Amino acid sequence: MRLLDLNPSSNRCILLSCMVKCIVVFLYVAVASFSAYGEYDHHQRRITETKSLTMRLIHRNAPSSPFRKTYRSQMEAIRDSWEMDSVRLKEFAARLRSSLSRYSFSAGSPVRSGESMNEDAQILWKHAKPLTSAVIAGAFAGSGQYFVSFNIGTPARTFLLIVDTGSDLVWLKCCDRCSSSSPLFNIKKSKTFSPIPCFWPQCSLVPPPAHFSCNRHPAGRCEYDYIYADLSDSSGILAYETVILNSTSNRSTKVKHVVFGCGLKNTGKSLTGSGGVLGLGREPMSFASQLGSKVDSIFSYCFVDFFRSPSEDSYLVFGKSHTGNASFQYTPFLQNPFVPTLYYIGIEHISVNGEVLSIHPRVWRMDAEGNGGAVIDSGTTLTYFLGPAYHRILSAFRRAISYPLVRMNLPTSFDLCFNTSNVSQIELPKLVITFSGNATFEPPSTNYFVEVSNDIKCLSFQQVSSGLGFSVLGNLLQQNFLMRYDRKHEQLGFAPRDCSAG
């Protein structure tokens, strides 16, 4: 739809009309960027401000999930999550390697803050010159575990998107020449779909297709092309759209002018696991960043113990929610300049049954190439530690386990399993992770011991494979904790909570 019709009678009129049009478009965009969030009242038909919204999260294998698989055993379900983790962790490693390759190091380059890094990393970063900048789309959709209902367009269509703290872009599969019965988002059918022009700043944050130059197509649409670690490929356009989010209290929230990636051509195994991704990473294009101060720059989630309660839903909160008697502990977020999307946190030490393990502090610190440290992540299921930490943790649990050990004869398995048959009251070792700021994370044993078959339990930690340079704390370890991402104060809060209570 055109904003203005040009019908000039002279060159001066043409110039004047163009100037007026540019001013109108600029004002339209400026106003839109400051009025992008509000709650839609179905009775009064108006938009009102809101500070909190709670949404239902669906686990990939919950009874209500269209992506649910049938497994012959608990171990088979765990191995499937394990394989998805593998894809995800390879993508993380590829990001780090790719980011390093995009930097050149020379004296006299601008200094950028590296307060969260150790001394060696700070020195190197002072001489790092960025060559390119690209937002991560998070389209390795097959690896996430939790979905949220996402209504987009006018009239709105509903899609299940993976909630992903490890990526930045809101992304879904689209089409521009598809039938009304297509499961894809038809951009021709939405009245509010608006492609972002090639020359707008947002376009510089996505990688362009090969041989595409905005200088040669300044009036064209912003096109992108992502190629992932497993060679999956998504190409499409960047656009604005209107989104409606449904809360657990049956109210709806309308979000205007959401920037999202519209994937028109998607190939590869990693792009078959969902309708798209709701990126909640730290970069400007993420959905959390776009909501920003309208929700106090806070989002939270609470994952139920899925293996024990598969029919129970988890939940996602934007803004400050009613937390009951929850008492939060906080640890600051750290920044890895080579992978700025991810939420890094500092680990001071780990103890098992009160014994503080002898793990060298450098394991938890980032080095000059962005290796080291720990990431809190919603999309990884198990927890992965760097080798020096993993072997210390494994040895401590082996010493503390008094039950008969079992060796699982499987291609992929856990390193510590034991038999608890004929035991009336099972006592398992206590794990405590002390984060920076003296915040102590004390998960229940069900968050790190999983039952793979009758009376057989295994420690659900794994060693980071070669090529990945940091530890990852997965969603299994976070179950029945309210995890609060306070982006305004750059800190992670956590508090024990029965997540099935909502």
Side-chain angles (χ1 to χ4, degrees), residues 389-435:
Y390 175 73
H391 291 298
R392 295 282 185 178
I393 295 169
L394 180 63
S395 296
F397 274 111
R398 277 183 175 154
R399 292 193 301 270
I401 292 293
S402 59
Y403 306 110
L405 300 184
V406 176
R407 185 174 180 83
M408 305 294 289
N409 295 317
L410 296 169
T412 55
S413 186
F414 298 106
D415 291 327
L416 176 59
C417 297
F418 49 93
N419 191 326
T420 59
S421 59
N422 301 319
V423 178
S424 58
Q425 186 172 354
I426 301 173
E427 295 184 2
L428 297 175
K430 182 177 180 60
L431 172 75
V432 177
I433 303 176
T434 302
F435 296 122

Side-chain angles (χ1 to χ4, degrees), residues 39-47:
E39 186 172 291
Y40 187 67
D41 188 321
H42 290 281
H43 302 289
Q44 299 183 20
R45 300 292 180 185
R46 61 186 176 88
I47 303 296

Side-chain angles (χ1 to χ4, degrees), residues 12-284:
R12 175 177 292 182
C13 189
I14 292 175
L15 179 60
L16 181 61
S17 298
C18 289
M19 291 175 63
V20 170
K21 183 175 181 180
C22 290
I23 292 171
V24 171
V25 171
F26 174 79
L27 291 175
Y28 172 79
V29 173
V31 171
S33 65
F34 285 99
S35 61
Y37 193 82
E39 186 172 291
Y40 187 67
D41 188 321
H42 290 281
H43 302 289
Q44 299 183 20
R45 300 292 180 185
R46 61 186 176 88
I47 303 296
T48 58
E49 286 289 317
T50 185
K51 282 290 185 180
S52 179
L53 174 73
T54 301
M55 302 178 69
R56 186 169 68 113
L57 287 178
I58 304 171
H59 191 276
R60 176 181 293 277
N61 288 316
S64 58
S65 170
F67 304 104
R68 184 186 184 190
K69 294 181 181 179
T70 301
Y71 299 104
R72 292 172 294 180
S73 66
Q74 181 89 312
M75 187 61 198
E76 186 179 37
I78 294 171
R79 286 176 62 192
D80 189 44
S81 296
W82 199 336
E83 291 175 1
M84 291 184 183
D85 283 355
S86 178
V87 173
R88 186 174 182 83
L89 297 182
K90 286 178 182 177
E91 190 65 41
F92 283 168
R95 291 190 207 178
L96 181 56
R97 290 194 301 269
S98 175
S99 181
L100 285 170
S101 70
R102 293 198 303 265
Y103 282 82
S104 65
F105 300 95
S106 60
S109 296
V111 176
R112 181 170 172 176
S113 172
E115 293 179 354
S116 65
M117 305 165 68
N118 62 27
E119 184 177 352
D120 292 339
Q122 290 185 38
I123 292 172
L124 183 61
W125 181 245
K126 289 180 181 180
H127 303 290
K129 181 180 179 181
L131 301 179
T132 60
S133 176
V135 69
I136 301 298
F140 43 105
S143 66
Q145 295 296 329
Y146 290 92
F147 296 84
V148 66
S149 181
F150 197 76
N151 305 295
I152 187 168
T154 307
R157 286 200 59 189
T158 302
F159 297 88
L160 284 179
L161 303 189
I162 286 177
V163 172
D164 186 8
T165 58
S167 64
D168 286 314
L169 195 62
V170 180
W171 177 94
L172 71 155
K173 298 172 184 176
C174 301
C175 63
D176 54 5
R177 296 183 183 88
C178 52
S179 65
S180 57
S181 60
S182 172
L184 306 180
F185 178 63
N186 190 336
I187 62 178
K188 296 291 181 63
K189 297 292 185 180
S190 174
K191 299 176 182 178
T192 46
F193 180 84
S194 178
I196 290 177
C198 181
F199 59 87
W200 282 23
Q202 293 94 328
C203 197
S204 65
L205 296 175
V206 292
H211 310 301
F212 179 87
S213 172
C214 195
N215 292 331
R216 293 198 300 267
H217 307 278
R221 304 183 300 185
C222 177
E223 299 183 18
Y224 67 83
D225 187 13
Y226 285 97
I227 300 176
Y228 296 89
D230 67 347
L231 300 183
S232 295
D233 191 348
S234 174
S235 59
I237 58 176
L238 208 60
Y240 284 119
E241 195 39 291
T242 295
V243 168
I244 297 178
L245 307 175
N246 295 325
S247 75
T248 55
S249 59
N250 295 320
R251 294 186 66 83
S252 297
T253 297
K254 177 179 285 189
V255 189
K256 297 180 180 179
H257 301 97
V258 172
V259 178
F260 80 111
C262 199
L264 296 171
K265 184 179 180 182
N266 312 288
T267 58
K269 183 179 179 180
S270 291
L271 306 184
T272 60
S274 76
V277 174
L278 186 69
L280 296 176
R282 303 176 73 175
E283 292 289 88

Side-chain angles (χ1 to χ4, degrees), residues 362-378:
R362 68 169 173 263
V363 173
W364 309 123
R365 294 201 300 259
M366 283 170 272
D367 65 16
E369 294 184 342
N371 293 300
V375 168
I376 189 84
D377 185 44
S378 68

Side-chain angles (χ1 to χ4, degrees), residues 368-491:
E369 294 184 342
N371 293 300
V375 168
I376 189 84
D377 185 44
S378 68
T380 305
T381 298
L382 305 180
T383 288
Y384 298 79
F385 289 108
L386 291 170
Y390 175 73
H391 291 298
R392 295 282 185 178
I393 295 169
L394 180 63
S395 296
F397 274 111
R398 277 183 175 154
R399 292 193 301 270
I401 292 293
S402 59
Y403 306 110
L405 300 184
V406 176
R407 185 174 180 83
M408 305 294 289
N409 295 317
L410 296 169
T412 55
S413 186
F414 298 106
D415 291 327
L416 176 59
C417 297
F418 49 93
N419 191 326
T420 59
S421 59
N422 301 319
V423 178
S424 58
Q425 186 172 354
I426 301 173
E427 295 184 2
L428 297 175
K430 182 177 180 60
L431 172 75
V432 177
I433 303 176
T434 302
F435 296 122
S436 299
N438 202 34
T440 55
F441 184 70
E442 304 181 35
S445 61
T446 51
N447 284 22
Y448 49 93
F449 285 112
V450 293
E451 189 165 357
V452 298
S453 62
N454 290 337
D455 298 322
I456 303 296
K457 295 182 184 296
C458 296
L459 179 66
S460 62
F461 295 160
Q462 290 292 305
Q463 180 179 345
V464 170
S465 60
S466 59
L468 181 69
F470 47 84
S471 300
V472 180
L473 308 183
N475 57 54
L476 189 63
L477 191 66
Q478 303 171 50
Q479 290 179 158
N480 283 318
F481 276 83
L482 183 59
M483 308 297 293
R484 172 178 284 181
Y485 290 67
D486 184 345
R487 294 156 50 90
K488 181 178 180 180
H489 299 100
E490 284 294 305
Q491 60 185 0

